Amino acid sequence: MGTSGLICAFLLASCCCCRRVAGVPGEAEKPAPELLEVEVGGTALLKCGPSHSQSNFSHVDWFSVSAPEEGSRGGRQRPRPSRSPRTLTSSPQVHKEKPTLIFRVRQGQGQSEPGEYQHRLHLQDKGTTLALTHITPHDERIFLCQGKRPRSQEHRVQLRVYKAPEEPTIQVNPLGISVNSEEPEEVATCVGRNGYPLPQVIWYKNGRPLKEEKNRVQIQSFQIVESSGLYTLQSVLKAQLAKEDKDAQFYCELSYRLPSGNHMKESPEVMVPVFYPAERVWLEVEPEGMLKEGDRVEIRCLADGNPPPHFSISKQNLSTKEMEEESTDDNGILVLEPAQKEHSGLYECQGLDLETTVSLLSDQQELLVNYVSDVRVSPAAPESQEGSSLTLTCEAESNQDLEFQWLREKTGKVLERGPVLQLRNLKREEGGGYRCVASAPSVPGLNRTQLVNVAIFGSPWMTLRERKIRVKENTMLNLSCEASGHPRPSIIWNVDGTASEQDQDPQTVLSILSVLVTPELLETGAKCVASNPLGENVTSIILELDSNRTNSLSTSTFSPPARANSTSTERKLPEPESKGVVIVAVTVCVLVLAVLGAVLYFFYKKGKLPCGRSGKQEITLPPSRKSEFVVEVKSDKLPEEMGLLQGSNGDKRAPGDQVRMIKYC
């Protein structure tokens, strides 16, 4: 090529470079849009230019671009799941569209264009800022601002929308996973709802993150686009598990970003049932420790497999030495209630895995039920004469060393420690129950007792010799009579009625007679006679009429008091006199004497009373009254009463000078 050719080529290259620099309008590379991040529901403040711009914003048009321009999404760092999520509900097809006018600004006044933004846009900051309220995921796009004066200018804002997902939920596989599975099986499903953009999911086992491993761990994630534009993420964890994973804790974590930074939310921990065959079977007995007769004992089989195999429990036959299967409940538990000494022996458990048909046998275990039995007292029916002696001996059987003690049945007092009880110089009161207690100190709570009644020969012994009872006529009355003795006495009554007997102990009987209180019964009373081959005794019951009782027909029961062998009588206490009546009588007497003294003194002063100090004088009365009685009054009055008999001149008379007697005239 010649010189002219080189010059021509240089000029052509220069022209191309000039065109590439100057550019055709609309073809020059545009600056990156301003990034604006807002949470769903918030307000986006769109500014028409940098904050330091001095441009005139009185004539501005705002546009929205449905799809971001090429390369505009590349600058956003979206978290991604471990595997690319598969969309279940397809989103609208993304393609480049022309800007759509949404708002006009003329002379500082704004006007919305009809459309989706018509009611959510308004001006702020003297027209320099356009506020977009109630942000949704559909608002994530580029907004374009074009100014006309003083010269044509353009500013782009890339709006990014964020929404934190709800708390993740996790659902474990309820059917469980077998360790014999050849492929990964579903462990659990994690769901994070209503987030934007799509969050990232991370699975954990025992606090450590899980990563996908071929034929060991798989994580499958799916995304669902809701009508609101929010995402719901569903992630499924599949894995092959081993026996060691039977107690493993699984959970999922959602990682997401907000304008404030990165955040995360965790689901609850779950455990998946892991099935594995048993390798060992053994026996367990409850309660632990030494067992005794009467306890509730459970013998159960245990195995280290899941699910447990089918169990059966066998006990060795002492005669044949063969193991014989015992009857158990639905859970394979043998319950001994109450446990007896016959339950002692060797036990073993057999477990059959129904899936693998493998049978496992446990080691034999000896069960020992401690016992105390056959407590015997000799003589079995002891009896003796009053004043003599008696020896009681106690025996028992046990697999443990025994201790004996004797107690009085009535009082519970310990009389003797040892198998022999000596009773000397017996009295009638010492008859009755004696209890032998045989216990094994090495086994707490293991004891047995035997009660024996000692009979003392004697005639009947009555509780009371005599009783007095207040009754009301025409009432039903229950009379009681108690007697003791050996041989056992019988009781009869001397009056008609309905009688019943109750045995208080082998030597004591209580008889109750129901009778109607009649005048004849009140007069004769009642008697009960107790008799045995050695004699008889009587209790007399005296009935007294009680006027304070009501006349209605009623039933009263009179039980015997505490036993005594002395005569008991009851007497009626006199009722207290009325003190009010006595006071009134005394007051009236004092007033009468005072008036009589005044009259006599009046007659004396008038000279009509010829009686002197010597005592007895006759008083002259009218003829019509001569036949009346005149009473002699001797004064024993108190000094206060003497004042009523003073003379009119105030002179006091001695008691001897008072009226001594008034005789008939």
Side-chain angles (χ1 to χ4, degrees):
M1 180 182 296
T3 304
S4 59
L6 292 173
I7 294 174
C8 183
F10 175 77
L11 292 176
L12 288 173
S14 299
C15 291
C16 292
C17 291
C18 292
R19 288 187 61 186
R20 193 174 292 115
V21 174
V24 178
E27 292 184 3
E29 185 179 354
K30 298 178 181 179
E34 178 185 353
L35 184 61
L36 178 61
E37 297 179 330
V38 183
E39 289 192 47
V40 169
T43 298
L45 300 179
L46 307 174
K47 295 184 178 296
C48 191
S51 58
H52 58 274
S53 174
Q54 302 297 325
S55 302
N56 184 358
F57 299 104
S58 61
H59 190 98
V60 174
D61 291 333
W62 282 94
F63 300 87
S64 71
V65 181
S66 297
E69 295 184 4
E70 189 69 27
S72 61
R73 280 190 174 268
R76 185 176 189 187
Q77 299 297 323
R78 291 178 180 240
R80 295 182 177 271
S82 57
R83 292 186 63 180
S84 299
R86 179 161 53 90
T87 303
L88 301 183
T89 302
S90 60
S91 56
Q93 183 178 0
V94 178
H95 57 277
K96 189 173 182 179
E97 296 182 0
K98 291 184 177 181
T100 301
L101 181 64
I102 60 173
F103 200 82
R104 298 175 184 271
V105 180
R106 299 293 184 268
Q107 302 299 325
Q109 299 297 320
Q111 180 181 358
S112 294
E113 293 294 320
E116 59 176 320
Y117 296 106
Q118 183 175 358
H119 303 291
R120 294 196 290 147
L121 294 171
H122 61 274
L123 287 177
Q124 289 185 357
D125 300 334
K126 298 179 181 181
T128 62
T129 303
L130 182 64
L132 174 59
T133 61
H134 304 98
I135 295 297
T136 70
H138 300 296
D139 296 327
E140 185 171 274
R141 59 187 62 191
I142 291 179
F143 292 89
L144 178 64
C145 168
Q146 288 185 345
K148 300 299 182 182
R149 289 189 294 270
R151 67 181 186 276
S152 177
Q153 59 182 0
E154 179 180 294
H155 184 71
R156 291 182 301 159
V157 178
Q158 174 67 61
L159 181 60
R160 298 293 192 195
V161 180
Y162 297 90
K163 168 69 169 61
E166 299 173 5
E167 293 290 334
T169 60
I170 188 169
Q171 181 65 47
V172 72
N173 177 10
L175 301 179
I177 298 176
S178 173
V179 297
N180 296 326
S181 176
E182 297 179 356
E183 296 181 356
E185 294 189 20
E186 180 180 332
V187 176
T189 300
C190 178
V191 178
R193 301 182 183 279
N194 298 323
Y196 194 87
L198 193 67
Q200 180 182 4
V201 63
I202 302 176
W203 283 94
Y204 290 84
K205 182 180 78 171
N206 295 331
R208 296 183 178 181
L210 290 173
K211 296 182 180 180
E212 286 192 306
E213 298 179 22
K214 186 177 181 181
N215 297 329
R216 291 290 299 171
V217 178
Q218 295 179 1
I219 299 175
Q220 298 176 351
S221 297
F222 309 90
Q223 71 182 40
I224 300 174
V225 181
E226 309 289 352
S227 59
S228 61
L230 300 176
Y231 290 112
T232 291
L233 175 66
Q234 178 175 312
S235 180
V236 179
L237 172 65
K238 294 183 177 182
Q240 277 190 327
L241 300 182
K243 180 179 178 180
E244 294 73 19
D245 297 320
K246 60 185 179 67
D247 298 322
Q249 301 279 347
F250 295 89
Y251 70 93
C252 63
E253 174 189 280
L254 296 182
S255 298
Y256 58 94
R257 186 180 182 278
L258 297 178
S260 58
N262 294 323
H263 300 268
M264 54 84 73
K265 290 183 178 180
E266 295 178 347
S267 73
E269 292 183 331
V270 295
M271 295 175 58
V272 62
V274 179
F275 303 126
Y276 46 90
E279 298 176 356
R280 187 171 69 91
V281 176
W282 66 94
L283 278 173
E284 185 178 87
V285 179
E286 288 186 358
E288 297 180 350
M290 301 189 74
L291 305 177
K292 63 181 183 296
E293 280 190 318
D295 288 344
R296 185 183 190 275
V297 180
E298 289 187 2
I299 304 176
R300 59 166 55 92
C301 290
L302 298 176
D304 58 356
N306 187 33
H310 174 74
F311 293 119
S312 61
I313 299 177
S314 300
K315 178 179 181 294
Q316 186 183 53
N317 187 309
L318 295 179
S319 302
T320 63
K321 304 301 180 180
E322 297 291 332
M323 302 301 294
E324 298 178 355
E325 185 173 345
E326 298 286 326
S327 177
T328 61
D329 62 11
D330 295 338
N331 297 321
I333 300 175
L334 176 60
V335 179
L336 308 177
E337 185 180 19
Q340 303 293 334
K341 64 179 180 180
E342 293 79 10
H343 293 142
S344 298
L346 290 176
Y347 290 82
E348 69 179 12
C349 174
Q350 183 177 17
L352 176 62
D353 193 315
L354 299 179
E355 182 177 354
T356 62
T357 67
V358 174
S359 179
L360 298 175
L361 196 64
S362 71
D363 295 334
Q364 291 184 345
Q365 182 171 337
E366 183 175 6
L367 181 72
L368 177 61
V369 179
N370 297 284
Y371 65 93
V372 175
S373 63
D374 298 330
V375 181
R376 302 174 303 278
V377 175
S378 58
E383 54 186 13
S384 180
Q385 298 290 338
E386 192 170 3
S388 61
S389 298
L390 184 65
T391 300
L392 302 178
T393 304
C394 187
E395 297 176 333
E397 294 182 1
S398 177
N399 63 326
Q400 301 286 342
D401 294 334
L402 292 178
E403 291 183 355
F404 296 90
Q405 61 180 3
W406 289 91
L407 288 78
R408 187 71 162 107
E409 179 68 9
K410 291 181 180 179
T411 62
K413 180 181 178 181
V414 177
L415 303 177
E416 186 69 46
R417 297 186 183 276
V420 179
L421 174 65
Q422 292 283 352
L423 299 175
R424 297 181 176 87
N425 191 20
L426 284 170
K427 298 179 181 179
R428 180 187 293 265
E429 294 83 355
E430 293 179 293
Y434 291 81
R435 186 174 295 275
C436 170
V437 180
S439 59
S442 59
V443 184
L446 178 57
N447 59 73
R448 291 291 183 270
T449 68
Q450 180 62 45
L451 177 65
V452 63
N453 281 284
V454 175
I456 308 297
F457 285 103
S459 60
W461 187 32
M462 309 301 290
T463 301
L464 289 176
R465 295 287 187 183
E466 182 179 278
R467 299 177 57 201
K468 288 186 178 181
I469 301 173
R470 295 190 179 189
V471 297
K472 184 65 181 179
E473 189 176 354
N474 199 35
T475 61
M476 294 301 299
L477 182 65
N478 287 339
L479 302 176
S480 62
C481 182
E482 184 177 0
S484 61
H486 182 67
R488 176 187 177 277
S490 59
I491 297 177
I492 60 174
W493 294 84
N494 70 332
V495 295
D496 295 332
T498 303
S500 62
E501 290 188 355
Q502 300 175 3
D503 289 332
Q504 305 297 92
D505 57 52
Q507 284 80 45
T508 304
V509 61
L510 173 66
S511 179
I512 298 177
L513 179 68
S514 179
V515 296
L516 177 65
V517 179
T518 62
E520 293 79 7
L521 184 63
L522 287 170
E523 182 178 355
T524 62
K527 289 184 179 180
C528 69
V529 181
S531 62
N532 67 4
L534 300 179
E536 65 179 29
N537 212 332
V538 178
T539 294
S540 299
I541 301 176
I542 301 172
L543 304 180
E544 295 181 349
L545 197 61
D546 189 354
S547 59
N548 292 331
R549 294 176 178 265
T550 60
N551 291 325
S552 60
L553 184 63
S554 60
T555 301
S556 301
T557 301
F558 295 90
S559 299
R563 174 173 295 181
N565 209 24
S566 60
T567 302
S568 174
T569 59
E570 301 176 10
R571 65 185 183 89
K572 180 178 179 181
L573 296 176
E575 295 186 0
E577 297 180 359
S578 175
K579 295 182 179 180
V581 175
V582 175
I583 295 174
V584 171
V586 172
T587 304
V588 171
C589 291
V590 171
L591 292 176
V592 171
L593 290 175
V595 173
L596 182 59
V599 171
L600 292 176
Y601 185 74
F602 174 76
F603 281 108
Y604 173 77
K605 295 297 290 184
K606 294 295 184 179
K608 296 181 179 182
L609 187 62
C611 299
R613 294 183 181 218
S614 59
K616 298 180 181 179
Q617 297 292 337
E618 185 177 346
I619 301 176
T620 304
L621 293 176
S624 61
R625 301 183 62 186
K626 286 186 177 181
S627 62
E628 296 180 1
F629 290 103
V630 178
V631 182
E632 178 182 3
V633 180
K634 291 184 179 181
S635 178
D636 292 326
K637 294 181 172 33
L638 297 174
E640 295 89 333
E641 299 176 6
M642 295 303 159
L644 299 175
L645 303 178
Q646 295 177 0
S648 59
N649 57 358
D651 56 331
K652 297 183 179 179
R653 297 179 183 271
D657 295 337
Q658 304 300 320
V659 178
R660 294 292 183 185
M661 184 188 73
I662 301 175
K663 70 177 182 178
Y664 300 119
C665 299

